Amino acid sequence: EPKELGDFAPWFFPIPSNLCSILPGPNNDFMSSTFRLVVSSPVIPDLTVDYDMRKKTFTIVDQEEVTGLCSSIYTVGQSNVSSIQQNLQLIEDSQSWSDLSKLLSCERVQVVSHDGVSIPLVILYSREAHIHGESPGILYGYGAYGEDLDKSWCSDRLSLLARGWVLAFADVRGGGDPSWHIAGTKINKINSIQDFAACGMHLIKEGFVHESRLCAMGSSAGSLLVG
């Protein structure tokens, strides 16, 4: 008989934040009740997780080690191994996530472009080191081949964030799903450029970045966008 989704008593997996990616791991045993996945977010080091779908509980199998980060401020050379281990134990005991959101702000906003279309912009900065209206920033862009920017965890960003830099990721037209890609390619490429400029102006207008301290970065096809 036809079934409704509610007939299967669905439940929600407790993701760590509203801005993260979840990728399946090597789940080779079809009959297993445990599902392995990898969780990544700009504010949480990559996690390999085993989720028991019968018990609805999860176990941290592995997490990237972070050093040079203490509870209140970034300190070069100070190890954070013990606190990472404590966080892992806390997660497994409480079934709640422990990320770096108290130190790092990560928000997703919609920026209105030249033709009224809303452009997704992800903004990442240190809550302690950022100075409103004064901080330097980097705006990343690509906008080609239907690809979104990679916004997963990257420890290389910590040194910039520790010094007050703002890192922003503009998913302009030209990337994304097929319709979003077509809206920013060939004769429509100007939309990608206008979208990118609108995101840069938003960062300045809202005080995330000083008006003369905004940089732009794009690799491969993103170099055309930035140029």
Side-chain angles (χ1 to χ4, degrees), residues 58-76:
F58 59 86
T59 302
I60 305 299
V61 177
D62 180 67
Q63 183 178 27
E64 179 182 332
E65 181 182 303
V66 178
T67 60
L69 190 64
C70 66
S71 60
S72 60
I73 195 169
Y74 301 110
T75 306
V76 176

Side-chain angles (χ1 to χ4, degrees), residues 7-219:
D7 296 334
F8 297 96
W11 69 92
F12 292 97
F13 179 78
I15 60 175
S17 75
N18 59 4
L19 184 66
C20 70
S21 64
I22 299 177
L23 300 175
N27 295 283
N28 299 319
D29 183 358
F30 183 77
M31 300 304 294
S32 174
S33 64
T34 300
F35 184 73
R36 176 161 292 188
L37 58 146
V38 178
V39 179
S40 184
S41 164
V43 293
I44 183 170
D46 288 0
L47 289 161
T48 301
V49 177
D50 276 350
Y51 183 65
D52 190 321
M53 293 182 286
R54 287 199 180 115
K55 298 179 180 179
K56 300 178 185 177
T57 58
F58 59 86
T59 302
I60 305 299
V61 177
D62 180 67
Q63 183 178 27
E64 179 182 332
E65 181 182 303
V66 178
T67 60
L69 190 64
C70 66
S71 60
S72 60
I73 195 169
Y74 301 110
T75 306
V76 176
Q78 180 171 344
S79 175
N80 195 40
V81 175
S82 60
S83 62
I84 286 290
Q85 292 172 340
Q86 291 172 1
N87 284 341
L88 293 181
Q89 189 64 48
L90 175 65
I91 291 170
E92 295 182 15
D93 291 343
S94 66
Q95 292 294 291
S96 63
W97 299 98
S98 178
D99 57 27
L100 302 177
S101 58
K102 291 182 179 180
L103 292 172
L104 305 178
S105 174
C106 184
E107 56 186 88
R108 184 179 188 270
V109 299
Q110 298 288 336
V111 177
V112 179
S113 191
H114 66 107
D115 55 357
V117 175
S118 295
I119 311 303
L121 178 66
V122 173
I123 307 170
L124 181 63
Y125 61 90
S126 165
R127 297 184 185 276
E128 296 186 356
H130 175 256
I131 303 175
H132 184 83
E134 295 294 329
S135 286
I138 300 176
L139 179 61
Y140 295 91
Y142 187 71
Y145 301 106
E147 296 288 337
D148 287 328
L149 287 169
D150 180 13
K151 293 175 281 291
S152 59
W153 168 263
C154 178
S155 58
D156 293 347
R157 301 176 187 141
L158 291 178
S159 62
L160 287 172
L161 295 169
R163 288 177 281 159
W165 283 72
V166 173
L167 308 180
F169 306 84
D171 280 314
V172 301
R173 281 172 283 185
D177 60 41
S179 61
W180 196 251
H181 170 59
I182 293 173
T185 189
K186 297 181 180 179
I187 195 173
N188 297 319
K189 188 60 183 177
I190 189 64
N191 287 333
S192 297
I193 299 169
Q194 296 279 20
D195 296 347
F196 197 67
C199 289
M201 292 305 298
H202 176 85
L203 293 173
I204 294 171
K205 181 180 178 181
E206 297 300 318
F208 288 103
V209 178
H210 188 277
E211 61 181 356
S212 63
R213 304 183 74 188
L214 176 61
C215 310
M217 184 178 293
S219 60

